[in-house]
Amino acid sequence: MNTIKDLYSIKIRILILLIGIAITAISCDVSTNNPPNEIKYFFSFENGWEGWTARAMDTEHGDGEIEWEIAPGYELAWNGITAMKYYLNNLNDAGKIWIERPFEVEPNRTYEVTVRYEFATADYGVINLFTIITGVFPDSPASVDDLVPAFQTTTGNGFNHDVGYRWVNREFKFTVRSGSDGLVHALIGVWGTWETHRTYFVDAVHVIIQER
Ligand SMILES: [Ca+2]
C-alpha cells in the first residue's frame, strides 16, 4: 500500500515539475517575441534595386537636361559583385541625384536612424569636389529646400593625389519623426558642386532604425 502511495506521490511531483518547465518555456517564448525596438536593414544590390528608386533635381540645362544615371552595375563592388553606380555630367553646376527608399515604422513616433555605406570615389584633394547627399525624412523631398538637410560632407577619398577609386566608409545619424503614414525615407546620392562629369559607387548600405 505504501509503495503505491509513494509511486503516486512521485508521479504528482513529476507532473508538477513538467508543468513548471512548460510554464518557463512559454514565458521565454513570450519575451523573445517582444517587438524589437531596433530594425536593421542591409543592401548590397546583388538583387538589383532592392526597393530603392533613382531621383534627381536641378538637372535642367538649356532646353534639355544634363546627362545622369543611377543603376546597379558590375564595374566595382565592395560586397558581392554589384554596387549602385552613379553618373552625373554636371554641366549646369547644380545637378542632384540620389537613390531613395521608404521604410515602414510606426506612425507619429521619433526614431534614430543610422545610414552607413561604402562609397567608391576617385575624387582627391580638397577642392573641386562634389557633395554627398545622405538624409532621412518623414516625407520624400519635393523641392531642393527639402533636400538641404541631406547635404553632407565632400566626395574626397582622403588622398591628395590621383590614386584612382578608393572605397571610403560613410556614416550619418539622423533623428526623424514619422508622419501618420508610418514611413520614413532614406536618401543616398551626390550633389554636383563642380562643373564636370563624375562617377561614384555605393555598396553595403546599412540602415538601422531605433525607436527613441
Ligand atoms: Ca554589392
Side-chain angles (χ1 to χ4, degrees):
M1 202 65 177
N2 277 347
T3 311
I4 292 169
K5 267 188 181 171
D6 286 349
L7 207 60
Y8 188 70
S9 162
I10 288 168
K11 276 184 180 173
I12 295 283
R13 281 180 199 171
I14 289 172
L15 192 63
I16 290 168
L17 187 67
L18 288 175
I19 290 168
I21 290 170
I23 288 170
T24 308
I26 289 165
S27 62
C28 284
D29 239 354
V30 170
S31 68
T32 54
N33 280 341
N34 281 351
N37 63 352
E38 187 183 69
I39 314 168
K40 295 180 176 180
Y41 295 87
F42 179 70
F43 305 94
S44 183
F45 310 112
E46 303 301 300
N47 301 308
W49 288 89
E50 298 178 0
W52 296 80
T53 52
R55 289 193 63 198
M57 282 182 189
D58 286 346
T59 53
E60 304 82 10
H61 184 52
D63 294 334
E65 202 182 28
I66 56 170
E67 201 183 347
W68 68 274
E69 185 179 17
I70 308 177
Y74 295 100
E75 275 178 66
L76 279 184
W78 169 266
N79 176 273
I81 57 169
T82 60
M84 197 61 80
K85 178 184 177 182
Y86 297 65
Y87 173 76
L88 176 61
N89 192 2
N90 194 41
L91 290 175
N92 68 356
D93 205 9
K96 295 153 188 78
I97 61 172
W98 68 91
I99 59 169
E100 185 172 319
R101 189 184 191 281
F103 292 86
E104 275 185 40
V105 293
E106 294 295 323
N108 306 311
R109 292 199 195 165
T110 303
Y111 292 89
E112 300 282 354
V113 183
T114 302
V115 180
R116 185 170 68 243
Y117 54 88
E118 299 297 326
F119 182 75
T121 170
D123 297 357
Y124 61 92
V126 291
I127 57 167
N128 307 344
L129 302 172
F130 279 14
T131 300
I132 284 179
I133 293 174
T134 304
V136 180
F137 298 97
D139 297 304
S140 179
S143 68
V144 173
D145 285 346
D146 292 344
L147 203 57
V148 168
F151 297 157
Q152 306 291 347
T153 185
T154 59
T155 51
N157 59 18
F159 288 82
N160 58 14
H161 60 285
D162 188 359
V163 292
Y165 278 94
R166 287 290 187 273
W167 287 97
V168 291
N169 182 261
R170 291 283 178 257
E171 178 175 328
F172 305 95
K173 291 179 186 291
F174 306 96
T175 301
V176 62
R177 186 162 177 82
S178 60
S180 56
D181 64 355
L183 294 174
V184 295
H185 303 258
L187 281 61
I188 301 171
V190 290
W191 166 24
T193 39
W194 187 252
E195 199 175 317
T196 187
H197 60 89
R198 295 264 165 81
T199 300
Y200 304 98
F201 301 85
V202 167
D203 201 2
V205 177
H206 295 263
V207 176
I208 302 156
I209 303 173
Q210 169 96 48
E211 192 177 343
R212 280 182 81 182

